[in-house]
Amino acid sequence: MIQLPTVSAELDSRGAQPFEDFAILLAELYPFVHENLERERVTEFGLLFRWAGATASAQPLVLMAHFDVVPVDESDTWTYPPFEGRVEQGWVYGRGALDDKGPLLAVLEAVENLLAAGFTPARDVYLSFGGNEETHGAAALSIATLLRERGIVPWLVLDEGGAVVDAPLPFALGSTALVGVGEKGVVTLRLSTRGDAGHASAPPSITAVGRIARAIDRLDAGTFPARTPAAITRMLSIFANKALGRDQTVLRTLATFPALTARVFAAMGGEPAALVRTTVAATMQQGGTAANVLPSQASATLNLRIALGETVAGTVRRVKRRIHDPLVEVTVVESSEPSPESPTDNAQFALITAAVEASYPDAATVPFVCLAASDSQHFHLFSPAVYRFAPLEMSNAQRASVHGVDERVEIASLEKGELFHRALLQRLQ
Ligand SMILES: [Zn+2]
């Protein structure tokens, strides 16, 4: 799978053949899946499989993954070539090992093995695989739309997002299965302004470049209020039950007082802060043409990740209010709303928890909020139970290798991932 360079962002230069070859490879690797499941191509890059369940009228399970990968930076030095698929001392190296070909493989291995054993799931099971997640392409959206048009409301949707990690936050120790119950929204904004060009020897009080810099400066970390999602409160109380002594007291307190948690997490910065508030990152800036010429225009690009419970429109309003400068124009480049929060007190979450117990007996299953968007965003519009969890172990170094250098997965972890999906399908009612 890794040897096929399904780099969606480089489709123009590489062509669609790797994606075609990937579909052919799946048919070779998983003959039972291809004999027993209905397969549909949805757009050029979507693969949808339907495994008929025992009760045709029951709402189905949808297992999602994507088979496109992000590009490799030629200047990075990988231990093994990123598209070689080297297997070395129990590890598989290469682009896509974790994101998201490893998780896709875990799903297919489980289905193939269950089919070989003559198993039939209790409900219909759809396997929804997209080939352009990384470029925000339409494959998963088209699959979601197709199911919706057919009147199908998934009982449970499971996609990438969380993983099995060690010590996910500074105060939480031990193996933890982080299950994303929601994902933040995204909005990319462009700030622009114009100024009078002229000689830089007699400048006005503020130039176009200065005006944009001032606008960015006004969008500090305190621009958006901090609020603790229900999932994070639940997460803290689960950690509290596992902790001892003073740690337990601290965690209990945080779990009891969400407003306090919001303040503490916001003050911690980094990932904890990103869990409780909308974040602003100025990512690009332009303006001016020469060192001694006043700039006639300047602009900046901001990337904001919108907290659960907020909206794109409300976020843009607040940004404009904060900048408080009518000469700075704010334009929305692209946006997607944050998801609602899926519940943790339902049969679906209990099923995920049971499958984690079967595959990672030492891991606590904990709800979480995903900071990045996934293909599952197209399902939460019509399915109330969307969860984001790939059943693979990821160390901090491995997490950094996703979209980075030396992406790798342990074969033992792929085996546990297969076990997770097998347990999930077997326990499905
Ligand atoms: Zn991914």
Side-chain angles (χ1 to χ4, degrees):
M1 289 183 187
I2 288 170
Q3 284 169 359
L4 295 172
T6 50
V7 186
S8 46
E10 295 173 351
L11 183 63
D12 287 346
S13 56
R14 293 180 184 269
Q17 198 55 45
F19 296 85
E20 292 300 321
D21 291 343
F22 194 85
I24 294 166
L25 177 66
L26 292 190
E28 283 169 19
L29 293 174
Y30 302 106
F32 287 127
V33 169
H34 284 73
E35 268 165 44
N36 293 279
L37 274 61
E38 294 163 23
R39 193 185 84 150
E40 277 179 88
R41 291 289 287 262
V42 183
T43 75
E44 205 183 338
F45 296 103
L47 287 174
L48 180 65
F49 295 87
R50 177 178 163 267
W51 189 5
T55 311
S57 60
Q59 291 172 283
L61 165 67
V62 179
L63 299 175
M64 299 180 69
H66 65 89
F67 54 92
D68 63 320
V69 297
V70 291
V72 171
D73 188 331
E74 297 293 334
S75 66
D76 288 338
T77 41
W78 285 57
T79 308
Y80 307 108
F83 296 107
E84 185 188 306
R86 176 83 71 105
V87 181
E88 196 70 46
Q89 300 195 341
W91 289 74
V92 184
Y93 286 78
R95 175 59 86 224
L98 289 169
D99 184 18
D100 190 36
K101 288 176 174 173
L104 181 141
L105 175 142
V107 169
L108 283 168
E109 291 285 333
V111 175
E112 184 79 0
N113 289 339
L114 286 171
L115 284 166
F119 177 81
T120 302
R123 318 165 165 263
D124 280 7
V125 176
Y126 286 90
L127 312 181
S128 167
F129 300 146
N132 46 26
E133 191 272 346
E134 301 288 5
T135 51
H136 316 289
L141 170 63
S142 301
I143 289 172
T145 307
L146 183 73
L147 293 181
R148 201 177 184 180
E149 281 168 2
R150 290 178 184 164
I152 294 164
V153 177
W155 180 73
L156 164 59
V157 177
L158 195 59
D159 195 8
E160 64 174 340
V164 181
V165 302
D166 211 28
L169 290 166
F171 46 79
L173 300 173
S175 179
T176 307
L178 292 177
V179 178
V181 297
E183 63 188 45
K184 293 180 83 176
V186 189
V187 60
T188 300
L189 297 178
R190 197 178 128 88
L191 311 183
S192 55
T193 193
R194 304 201 65 83
D196 291 325
H199 201 276
S201 58
S205 64
I206 189 162
T207 67
V209 165
R211 193 174 284 283
I212 289 297
R214 186 175 69 182
I216 292 172
D217 194 49
R218 286 177 177 168
L219 298 168
D220 60 16
T223 301
F224 291 91
R227 205 178 297 120
T228 309
I232 300 305
T233 299
R234 177 95 192 98
M235 174 186 89
L236 290 166
S237 70
I238 295 171
F239 285 149
N241 289 340
K242 286 180 56 177
L244 297 167
R246 208 178 64 178
D247 284 355
Q248 187 172 56
T249 313
V250 171
L251 288 163
R252 282 255 152 80
T253 309
L254 291 174
T256 313
F257 302 104
L260 173 69
T261 304
R263 282 212 302 281
V264 171
F265 275 38
M268 287 166 81
E271 278 199 15
L275 288 173
V276 295
R277 67 155 50 132
T278 298
T279 56
V280 188
T283 52
M284 297 195 289
Q285 198 170 4
Q286 289 158 315
T289 53
N292 58 352
V293 175
L294 292 173
S296 62
Q297 55 78 33
S299 65
T301 302
L302 305 177
N303 190 260
L304 293 89
R305 301 302 169 118
I306 306 169
L308 302 195
E310 295 177 12
T311 62
V312 171
T315 301
V316 175
R317 267 200 308 276
R318 186 178 280 265
V319 164
K320 286 181 178 167
R321 229 175 20 239
R322 266 282 169 146
I323 292 176
H324 194 65
D325 185 343
L327 295 181
V328 174
E329 196 183 337
V330 179
T331 330
V332 176
V333 180
E334 59 179 349
S335 67
S336 72
E337 299 285 352
S339 76
E341 234 180 297
S342 296
T344 56
D345 57 354
N346 55 0
Q348 289 90 330
F349 197 82
L351 175 65
I352 294 169
T353 305
V356 169
E357 277 164 10
S359 48
Y360 294 92
D362 298 332
T365 304
V366 164
F368 199 66
V369 173
C370 293
L371 304 180
S374 73
D375 268 344
S376 72
Q377 61 177 290
H378 307 299
F379 282 89
H380 64 67
L381 299 173
F382 66 109
S383 174
V386 177
Y387 299 89
R388 299 146 192 90
F389 174 67
L392 299 181
E393 275 168 305
M394 280 194 211
S395 66
N396 284 339
Q398 280 173 283
R399 275 174 80 187
S401 77
V402 171
H403 293 209
V405 178
D406 278 348
E407 188 174 345
R408 60 201 179 276
V409 65
E410 197 170 11
I411 294 173
S413 178
L414 291 171
E415 288 169 351
K416 288 180 202 166
E418 184 274 338
L419 188 56
F420 169 88
H421 281 295
R422 206 155 22 102
L424 189 85
L425 290 159
Q426 284 174 320
R427 282 155 214 250
L428 194 62
Q429 291 181 334

